[in-house]
Amino acid sequence: MNIFGIINSGSKGKWDTSFLISHFSFLILLFLSLASFAQQEQRKYDAFFLEAVCEQEKGNADAAFDLFRHCLEIDSTRSEAYYYLAKYYMSLKKRDVALSYWQKAAEAEPANTTYIETLANAYIKMRDYKKGVEMLERLYALQHDRDELLGYLTQLYEQNEDYDNAIRTLSQLETLEGKSERLSFAKSSLYTRKGDKKAAIKEMKLLADQYPNDNNYRCLYANTLYLNGQQKKALALYDKILKAEPDNRNVQMAMLAHYNQQHDSVNVASMIERLLDNRNATTEDRISIMRQVVAESEASGGDSTRVLQLFRRIMDGPRGDADVALLWATYMNLKKMPSDSISTVLERVLRLTPDNASARLQLVSYAWQAQNRDRVIELCREARQYNPDEMAFYYYQGIACYQKGDLDDALNAFQNGIGVITQESDPAIVSDFYAVMGDILHQKGMEQEAYAAYDSCLQWKDDNMGCLNNYAYYLSVNGEQLDKAEQMSYRTIKAEPKNATYLDTYAWILFMQQRYSEAKIYIDQTLACDSDTSAVLLEHAGDIYYHVGNIDEAVAYWQQALEKAGGSTELTSERLQVLTRKIKLRKYLKE
């Protein structure tokens, strides 16, 4: 029975008002009860949602994830939990679940631009460009002030080869921004790709007509004519522009392309020279042209005469700059020209741009190859004024000073270089920094500082073999941490089993550990691998042979060591005296 039946069900056709009132009261109570329950559920949802956000801010991702899911159990019609959960599912690589949750969030709040934009980006990342476009169109309908959306839409339409919609979107942008070279050129290109040559030409003609006194727009129009099959008309327009403006860079570039296409080498050469001398041409133009010249020269046999002539023409004129000079030097390197000739060009680069680290490093490299340590030091000192954060200059200066025997200057260069080391620095170079510092500090008698430097070296590169060898040897000479020294030295001979220097160090450490039989095995390997045996090595061999009972052979090695050291500074006078006494007494003596 419906409510109207209930209302009219009283006796004798009269209304039963008490029954009516009681049923209305029940309905009102039911409504209020449902409303109250809904409010409670809403408050409950809000409380859990707020807690979830707080856990997320604390970095408790698992707790936040569970709380957001509980929010959906309370109310699956709210959008916020879907939105946040989608991000979690995406991080779990459950892309389909994430996408469906973003879809639900956007459905629950169709005017929420954040949800729509997120969904659009998700579709685009999944290469579902059609749906991505739909979302971006919907987003632009809500946010007309965001012109960049039209740019994104144009790219997507173009990617899908939907040229009509791409052109339509560009027209919308044109309405907002006004006619411009960028938009007209983009529309014309789309018409060309679409195959509508007339529309492509018309688009650029409208732009040129709007700015009749701007020859650059007329050139763009001519380019469009050329590209769309009307070459004769385009060339006539190029000629007209050049008569009015002989140094129009855009037309000259277009004519160069035309002559290249026609294989007209005479006019190509002429136009190249005009462009290189053109005051309106950019450095990028000149570099692009010279790269083309180099490529064509190499393809046709590699005659460098013409190429070098053009480089000199640029650099001897008012248009020469450091970038062109660097390309010149690179080409000379390619042609394996003498380093002093290349250095002359690099010096010009430095005169123009003293802070050009690349050119200076090349000069340092040439000076290094020529063993001109003074020039290396000079270049590096100058570089530190212009490139104080370039670690390589401290390194080369330090090495050059070290090789000259200037330990204080070398150490100063390395210590200053440490200040520019960052986490992005090349670990191999930093490792060598500390390794050479350790060697210098050892020579200056600062053993603990040397060990600290070696430790730093191995932190940056734990397989720096030179450092491992020297560190191990100096520890053994001082009789310190022999187990550590043996472990480091063993790594070097495993890496380079025929390196005489490393084998000698390992043999000597075994000797210091009184493992004489093992030491003899490795000193024999050392002698077999060493083509120019040193006095130190020969003395080590004698000491080891003495301790395995081979006295005659020990004395013979000591005698060879004495002869080898004669007239050199390899052994100190004190060591020579000890060596002489060993031979005379036929007995091992500690220094």
Side-chain angles (χ1 to χ4, degrees), residues 154-167:
T154 303
Q155 291 174 23
L156 289 173
Y157 282 132
E158 190 175 349
Q159 195 160 349
N160 290 335
E161 298 184 355
D162 185 352
Y163 300 126
D164 289 334
N165 273 318
I167 292 165

Side-chain angles (χ1 to χ4, degrees), residues 18-71:
S18 63
F19 183 80
L20 182 65
I21 290 168
S22 66
H23 276 74
F24 268 117
S25 299
F26 171 76
L27 290 172
I28 291 167
L29 287 171
L30 180 61
F31 175 77
L32 291 173
S33 176
L34 289 171
S36 175
F37 177 76
Q39 289 174 351
Q40 288 176 9
E41 290 297 289
Q42 183 174 338
R43 284 195 294 270
K44 189 176 177 183
Y45 176 97
D46 291 342
F48 276 101
F49 183 80
L50 181 60
E51 188 177 351
V53 172
C54 289
E55 291 298 327
Q56 181 175 271
E57 290 297 314
K58 293 176 187 175
N60 300 329
D62 291 341
F65 180 69
D66 290 337
L67 287 165
F68 282 130
R69 287 200 300 177
H70 188 57
C71 288

Side-chain angles (χ1 to χ4, degrees), residues 247-374:
D247 282 341
N248 188 294
R249 168 261 180 203
N250 293 333
V251 174
Q252 287 184 357
M253 291 292 283
M255 289 303 297
L256 176 60
H258 168 70
Y259 291 137
N260 273 317
Q261 190 179 50
Q262 299 298 312
H263 304 291
D264 184 347
S265 57
V266 174
N267 276 315
V268 165
S270 173
M271 191 54 69
I272 282 174
E273 291 185 6
R274 286 180 67 180
L275 273 162
L276 293 178
D277 293 338
N278 191 335
R279 57 190 172 83
N280 296 319
T282 64
T283 295
E284 289 73 21
D285 291 335
R286 293 185 181 88
I287 286 175
S288 175
I289 290 167
M290 288 309 301
R291 281 179 177 157
Q292 176 189 325
V293 169
V294 168
E296 290 174 355
S297 171
E298 292 301 298
S300 61
D303 184 1
S304 62
T305 306
R306 165 75 171 160
V307 181
L308 293 172
Q309 195 177 56
L310 288 174
F311 272 121
R312 289 193 191 95
R313 181 190 184 105
I314 301 170
M315 293 306 300
D316 291 342
R319 317 294 171 209
D321 62 18
D323 290 335
V324 174
L326 271 177
L327 183 61
W328 185 7
T330 302
Y331 175 71
M332 293 172 78
N333 257 320
L334 172 71
K335 302 306 290 182
K336 296 181 170 43
M337 297 186 71
S339 59
D340 56 347
S341 299
I342 302 172
S343 294
T344 301
V345 176
L346 292 172
E347 294 285 1
R348 294 182 71 166
V349 174
L350 288 188
R351 285 197 294 273
L352 292 165
T353 53
D355 61 343
N356 194 307
S358 174
R360 196 177 294 274
L361 278 170
Q362 275 190 266
L363 284 168
V364 168
S365 174
Y366 289 136
W368 189 270
Q369 291 169 25
Q371 298 187 354
N372 188 344
R373 306 304 177 217
D374 290 332

